[in-house]
Amino acid sequence: MIRKQRERGRKGSPIHIRGHIRLLVSLMKRQILCSQSKALLLLYLYKYKYNNAAALPSVGIRKLPLSAQMGSSATPADSYISEGEDHIIQDKDLLRRTDSGTTGSLHVLEDLVNRASLEADRTLCNKLLNKCTQSGQLKQARIVHAHILTSTFNDDLPIHNTILNTYVKCGSLDDAHKLFDEMPHRDLVTWTALISGYSQHDRPEEALVLFPQMLRHGLQPNQFTLSSLLKAAGAGPDPDDKHGRQLHAHCFKCGFDSNVYVGTSLVDMYARCGRMDESQIIFDALDTKNEVSWNALIAGHARKGQGEHALRLFWKMLRGGFNPTHFTYSSVFTVCASAGSMEQGKWVHSHMIKSGVNLVAFVGNTLLDMYAKSGSIDDAKKVFDRLVRRDIVSFNSMLTGYSQHGLGKETVQLFEQMLRIGIQPNDITFLCLLTACSHARLLDEGQYYFHLMRKRFKIEPQVWHYVTMVDLLGRAGLLDRADKFIREMPIEPTAAVWGALLGACRMHNNIDLGAYAAERAFELDPYDSGPYIILANMYASAGRLNDAAKVRKMMKESGVKKEPACSWVEIENAVHMFVANDDAHPQRAEIYRMWEMISKKIKEVGYVPDTSHVLFFVDQQEREVKLQFHSEKLALAFALLNTSPGSTIRIKKNIRVCGDCHSAIKYVSKMERREIIVRDTNRFHHFRDGSCSCGDYW
DNA sequence: TTCTTAATGG
């Protein structure tokens, strides 16, 4: 009790400062305080501000012309934290120079200056640390920490825990761990703060090893510890559920599994380990669920590519009376983006507008991506323009959109705009930019940006940047330069690098270099069917059927399976899938009849089936028959049967569209007066009035 | 004083 009183009146404590300010104000009112000495008031203001800002106007200090007194170095109390220690020292110097006058207040002031030690009190330190935590200012946190080390409350455990947490939130786990090691005493909060630090900053292994150590110190985890540990268990490089299961047992034993935080973390952990069934069981068993629990489950299905399931859960969540959050919308838009289901995405978008959720980058980026990936680049741009705050991901998403739609000029313009605004590009930005240059035949621009990336932005190109450069050079027909470029790469070329060269060789019919590139690709990744198929097709279309057969045999022997080609088309909120020569579809007969009719009609206006893309069909007529039933053709016939005249048709494909289909779709777009948008593995084709946006360059 | 959920590439 006595100690408490002493502490309350100690110098630096709020009461102490308040008293000083009152005294100073009264001196000032009686004209005893000379003008220079008002600097002293500023010093007190610094301290006072953080204790009770609301009380300031009542003592009239705000009316002081502080900046006039302090010259250009004047610092408003608000910016104390961000300006740091230098200014405090500066103010001290000012104080020393204060009061050369000989007023009767001299003694009083001298006394005050001496007593105005900068030692902070506990409340002030907590507030300062809090502010550092919120704004992530590590440097200031270290200064406050230094003050605390020389203070009388240095052996205080809670304040050390707060510092540790501040370091964590400022992103410096080194500082946090160092403090942890130096601390004379640690409690559960200390351990938990460090564990959660590693887990939040994506260093799961380091979080997990702390757990057994903590147990050895005789501490039992609580809900905070367990949820952090579960997050770490689900985030491992190769998330296995060994840690997860042990933790689950621990949660169960201590009865924490019914806690919302721990329960939700369990749902999330199993979902990240790919065990959706167990995730669902835990979710169902939760007495108390919140939005986060739903989001974790929905995101889990979305990540696993179970889009339909995720959407069903979304509707269920709504029916259950839960309000979707940014996270929910974000997952749902991602699902719609990868399925190319724009109609459902639009519906959810309108739902989001009605619910009043702001179009911030967090959710806007995924919405933008959804429109771009569904083929509507105009809607994507609208979303981009309306975003409340654009971040690097917003720009990257928009750049990706442009580049996939073959809009090279727009990509370059947006990139330049981004630089003007002062947003730092990252490696993904450059990947989009280079891809755009490649797709739009912007050879010089592509090479220029590749150098710029290194020189001006100090971003070391990753293997994917090299792949794109090989693609850029190769597409432009500079096959030898592309080959040389690969040989001069500072990093080892991967199968994808050689694959890019192979693709270019196919485009420019260079079989020898193509065969060489394919060999390298086989060596580096024998399990990818792509290069085998391309090479075999190249041989086949050059009439070298024996060589084609050899490649095919090689592929068979290495046990590679060709991924079946399929196409998807969305009709009235349902996505329909087609495989080549589909014979299981309920509307099969109509679809085939439809295509035969179309085929006949477009042949009359000039369509010539190109059979060079088909392997091993000796007889010309048979070749043509097989060719007719590529999945995108079936999807197109189906869409023509089931949509109203004039409406846009959007088709998604899992491999690159073949030359014959590309040609056929061009004719169909003209004849049927339809806009047809085909999304293949690396770009969009907008067919309109007989031509394609890719300019037959893909 | 300590806790859970999303997004951009090929």
Side-chain angles (χ1 to χ4, degrees):
Chain A
M1 186 67 185
I2 293 165
R3 200 185 150 186
K4 233 182 184 170
Q5 273 178 352
R6 216 173 43 219
E7 224 173 61
R8 222 183 278 159
R10 252 190 50 239
K11 60 181 177 182
S13 73
I15 287 175
H16 186 75
I17 295 171
R18 225 169 287 152
H20 281 350
I21 291 187
R22 244 178 252 128
L23 176 59
L24 284 162
V25 170
S26 77
L27 287 170
M28 196 178 66
K29 276 182 182 161
R30 284 183 283 147
Q31 308 272 303
I32 297 170
L33 194 63
C34 80
S35 63
Q36 277 173 317
S37 313
K38 287 173 191 165
L40 183 63
L41 269 175
L42 183 64
L43 181 65
Y44 278 111
L45 191 59
Y46 284 154
K47 290 191 159 195
Y48 196 81
K49 175 84 180 167
Y50 292 98
N51 286 313
N52 190 356
L56 287 175
S58 65
V59 288
I61 291 174
R62 282 240 173 107
K63 287 173 190 151
L64 281 177
L66 292 172
S67 52
Q69 304 303 323
M70 300 293 291
S72 58
S73 68
T75 314
D78 270 337
S79 55
Y80 163 59
I81 288 290
S82 55
E83 295 296 330
E85 205 173 37
D86 296 346
H87 282 271
I88 302 175
I89 294 162
Q90 222 168 7
D91 295 343
K92 261 185 167 174
D93 290 337
L94 255 177
L95 289 169
R96 228 167 272 136
R97 281 187 272 116
T98 290
D99 246 344
S100 46
T102 51
T103 58
S105 62
L106 192 61
H107 288 101
V108 183
L109 284 167
E110 263 179 7
D111 183 44
L112 287 177
V113 170
N114 288 335
R115 289 209 281 155
S117 131
L118 280 170
E119 190 202 312
D121 71 311
R122 191 191 306 258
T123 321
L124 181 61
C125 281
N126 270 321
K127 288 196 176 179
L128 295 180
L129 287 172
N130 213 333
K131 195 147 184 181
C132 293
T133 305
Q134 283 164 16
S135 54
Q137 297 189 71
L138 178 63
K139 221 176 115 192
Q140 320 308 337
R142 290 196 183 124
I143 294 170
V144 180
H145 186 184
H147 280 302
I148 291 167
L149 288 177
T150 59
S151 75
T152 49
F153 48 91
N154 184 34
D155 51 358
D156 194 73
L157 182 56
I159 203 145
H160 274 139
N161 286 340
T162 307
I163 303 168
L164 200 150
N165 183 242
T166 302
Y167 281 145
V168 163
K169 293 286 149 61
C170 292
S172 176
L173 286 155
D174 291 346
D175 280 271
H177 209 133
K178 192 158 171 276
L179 174 60
F180 180 87
D181 289 339
E182 286 166 357
M183 278 168 70
H185 310 287
R186 299 177 199 119
D187 62 3
L188 181 59
V189 176
T190 322
W191 285 91
T192 304
L194 192 63
I195 289 173
S196 82
Y198 280 121
S199 129
Q200 278 163 16
H201 288 89
D202 208 25
R203 290 164 68 169
E205 292 97 338
E206 285 150 290
L208 290 168
V209 293
L210 285 167
F211 184 48
Q213 293 175 26
M214 186 187 104
L215 292 177
R216 255 177 268 134
H217 280 80
L219 291 165
Q220 281 301 314
N222 62 12
Q223 50 157 321
F224 296 91
T225 331
L226 288 169
S227 45
S228 293
L229 285 165
L230 285 165
K231 182 184 159 91
D238 180 28
D240 70 309
D241 55 2
K242 194 187 80 195
H243 286 295
R245 280 193 184 284
Q246 283 173 5
L247 285 164
H248 188 180
H250 221 108
C251 298
F252 186 73
K253 210 167 69 188
C254 314
F256 277 119
D257 56 333
S258 55
N259 173 282
V260 201
Y261 282 96
V262 176
T264 301
S265 302
L266 279 167
V267 170
D268 182 54
M269 185 275 292
Y270 279 118
R272 279 177 202 275
C273 295
R275 311 186 74 104
M276 294 314 301
D277 42 350
E278 303 199 39
S279 181
Q280 182 75 52
I281 291 167
I282 311 260
F283 178 84
D284 290 337
L286 274 178
D287 295 331
T288 335
K289 297 179 184 55
N290 60 18
E291 285 79 11
V292 184
S293 327
W294 280 96
N295 292 346
L297 192 64
I298 291 174
H301 285 287
R303 267 192 306 267
K304 274 210 104 185
Q306 299 164 345
E308 279 183 43
H309 198 134
L311 283 169
R312 273 203 299 278
L313 283 167
F314 174 70
W315 301 121
K316 214 171 159 187
M317 174 181 180
L318 291 181
R319 281 199 302 277
F322 290 91
N323 288 324
T325 69
H326 286 161
F327 285 91
T328 330
Y329 288 120
S330 192
S331 298
V332 172
F333 289 139
T334 305
V335 162
C336 295
S338 71
S341 44
M342 190 162 87
E343 292 311 314
Q344 295 187 66
K346 267 187 179 165
W347 208 99
V348 178
H349 183 188
S350 68
H351 188 277
M352 188 183 87
I353 294 171
K354 278 181 225 149
S355 70
V357 170
N358 245 344
L359 197 56
V360 289
F362 194 100
V363 60
N365 293 344
T366 52
L367 181 62
L368 186 168
D369 188 48
M370 187 275 289
Y371 280 119
K373 288 222 170 76
S374 308
S376 184
I377 193 73
D378 295 340
D379 286 316
K381 183 64 174 27
K382 272 184 206 156
V383 174
F384 180 78
D385 289 337
R386 284 180 200 155
L387 279 179
V388 176
R389 261 193 71 199
R390 282 168 219 141
D391 59 13
I392 179 72
V393 179
S394 323
F395 276 91
N396 287 351
S397 305
M398 196 64 229
L399 289 168
T400 304
Y402 277 147
S403 103
Q404 287 178 335
H405 283 82
L407 300 166
K409 290 224 170 62
E410 285 82 351
T411 315
V412 170
Q413 276 168 10
L414 186 65
F415 176 72
E416 294 293 342
Q417 185 196 334
M418 175 177 165
L419 296 188
R420 279 197 299 279
I421 300 172
I423 293 188
Q424 275 296 310
N426 61 15
D427 54 337
I428 295 176
T429 316
F430 278 101
L431 192 62
C432 302
L433 189 61
L434 296 174
T435 309
C437 292
S438 171
H439 285 173
R441 252 190 266 225
L442 300 172
L443 181 63
D444 294 337
E445 286 88 340
Q447 288 175 294
Y448 166 71
Y449 286 123
F450 184 73
H451 290 295
L452 192 76
M453 155 174 167
R454 250 180 152 149
K455 242 182 148 172
R456 182 166 149 205
F457 295 97
K458 313 279 175 232
I459 298 171
E460 209 31 55
Q462 306 290 305
V463 71
W464 288 109
H465 296 101
Y466 288 100
V467 172
T468 312
M469 284 308 286
V470 170
D471 192 59
L472 177 88
L473 296 167
R475 276 168 191 271
L478 306 172
L479 294 175
D480 291 335
R481 269 195 49 199
D483 185 31
K484 188 163 168 262
F485 182 83
I486 298 177
R487 286 169 207 288
E488 289 169 359
M489 272 174 64
I491 51 176
E492 275 304 303
T494 57
V497 177
W498 293 109
L501 183 62
L502 174 62
C505 290
R506 163 177 59 188
M507 197 169 172
H508 297 284
N509 286 321
N510 186 330
I511 293 193
D512 291 341
L513 189 58
Y516 176 77
E519 289 288 332
R520 302 285 82 71
F522 299 155
E523 284 166 14
L524 292 165
D525 183 7
Y527 300 106
D528 181 15
S529 61
Y532 292 102
I533 293 164
I534 294 173
L535 184 63
N537 275 335
M538 281 173 78
Y539 281 134
S541 52
R544 291 168 60 174
L545 296 181
N546 283 343
D547 289 321
K550 270 185 213 155
V551 176
R552 187 130 173 127
K553 202 174 152 221
M554 250 174 85
M555 178 171 144
K556 230 178 187 169
E557 279 166 2
S558 62
V560 185
K561 271 198 193 129
K562 192 187 157 198
E563 195 188 335
C566 25
S567 295
W568 295 264
V569 62
E570 186 188 37
I571 313 259
E572 283 174 8
N573 288 340
V575 178
H576 301 261
M577 187 179 100
F578 296 87
V579 293
N581 305 314
D582 201 331
D583 53 5
H585 199 279
Q587 273 185 287
R588 178 179 180 275
E590 287 158 86
I591 293 168
Y592 281 66
R593 246 199 320 268
M594 182 74 182
W595 183 257
E596 266 155 37
M597 203 176 78
I598 295 168
S599 173
K600 209 175 139 199
K601 268 162 79 182
I602 59 178
K603 272 184 202 157
E604 282 166 15
V605 290
Y607 163 67
V608 183
D610 172 5
T611 51
S612 69
H613 292 264
V614 181
L615 269 177
F616 304 111
F617 297 103
V618 187
D619 175 60
Q620 176 68 29
Q621 212 175 355
E622 192 193 345
R623 272 204 208 187
E624 205 178 299
V625 167
K626 282 286 177 192
L627 196 61
Q628 281 175 359
F629 306 123
H630 263 179
S631 62
E632 54 266 54
K633 286 180 183 150
L634 298 180
L636 180 57
F638 180 76
L640 287 169
L641 275 170
N642 293 288
T643 55
S644 48
S647 61
T648 303
I649 297 173
R650 292 162 208 279
I651 296 171
K652 194 188 130 188
K653 254 204 91 139
N654 67 341
I655 55 168
R656 189 176 165 276
V657 59
C658 87
D660 179 63
C661 289
H662 194 266
S663 158
I665 299 170
K666 283 202 286 190
Y667 282 101
V668 175
S669 75
K670 182 162 185 160
M671 199 182 67
E672 297 286 326
R673 296 212 185 95
R674 291 282 196 121
E675 197 174 338
I676 302 164
I677 300 170
V678 178
R679 165 184 172 187
D680 73 13
T681 32
N682 47 31
R683 66 167 299 151
F684 283 89
H685 300 263
H686 283 250
F687 297 93
R688 186 190 264 164
D689 199 29
S691 63
C692 176
S693 63
C694 74
D696 302 335
Y697 183 76
W698 82 102

